[in-house]
């Protein structure tokens, strides 16, 4: 999969590397600022119950 993505990025090695870094940073930002806040109410990590 990564080989396919690398072959389809435009430019030489430097430009491909820069484009790949921008794509990874964009995906991370979208997850951090959009997806995770939407999922937070459904995932209750703060409510821990320990039974003895």
């Amino acid at each position: 999969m990564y080989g396919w993505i690398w072959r389809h990025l435009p430019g030489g090695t430097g430009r491909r590397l820069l484009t790949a870094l921008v794509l990874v940073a964009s995906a991370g930002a979208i997850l951090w600022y959009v997806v995770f806040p939407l999922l937070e109410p459904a995932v209750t990590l703060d409510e821990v119950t320990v039974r003895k």
Side-chain angles (χ1 to χ4, degrees):
M1 178 176 82
Y2 297 114
W4 181 88
I5 293 170
W6 186 257
R7 286 190 304 272
H8 286 84
L9 289 175
T13 303
R15 183 165 177 173
R16 285 180 178 179
L17 183 61
L18 180 63
T19 305
L21 290 174
V22 168
L23 288 172
V24 168
S26 300
I30 289 170
L31 284 171
W32 190 262
Y33 292 109
V34 177
V35 176
F36 294 156
L38 289 174
L39 292 177
E40 185 180 9
V43 180
T44 56
L45 297 175
D46 294 337
E47 298 175 16
V48 179
T49 303
V50 178
R51 296 181 186 210
K52 289 187 179 186

